Amino acid sequence: MVEIDREECLGCEACVEVCPEVFDFDASEGKAFVKDDVTGDEACIDEAIASCPASCITNE
Ligand code: SF4
């Protein structure tokens, strides 16, 4: 299950750029979120985790 610790999210949108199938951006809050129907492949998710400057994405 992919999760974002939204307290820590910096709103950089790196995860959305790398893996738009899984992550989306809430412009009103300035934070990313995980889409409901996650169909992204694991490599894409791993790339997003690696690119997150706040290290606030987990996949467990
Ligand atoms: S990469 Fe990390 S800090 Fe940047 S928007 Fe995504 S979850 Fe937030």
Side-chain angles (χ1 to χ4, degrees):
M1 184 179 170
V2 185
E3 287 185 301
I4 293 174
D5 181 344
R6 301 187 83 216
E7 293 284 312
E8 300 293 326
C9 175
L10 303 172
C12 70
E13 295 189 65
C15 55
V16 183
E17 282 175 30
V18 167
C19 197
E21 303 88 1
V22 176
F23 302 97
D24 206 348
F25 193 71
D26 184 334
S28 65
E29 290 190 49
K31 294 184 186 278
F33 64 93
V34 180
K35 291 181 173 180
D36 285 337
D37 296 317
V38 173
T39 55
D41 63 276
E42 294 290 319
C44 169
I45 293 166
D46 286 346
E47 209 178 321
I49 289 170
S51 68
C52 177
S55 302
C56 63
I57 305 171
T58 52
N59 185 19
E60 292 173 358

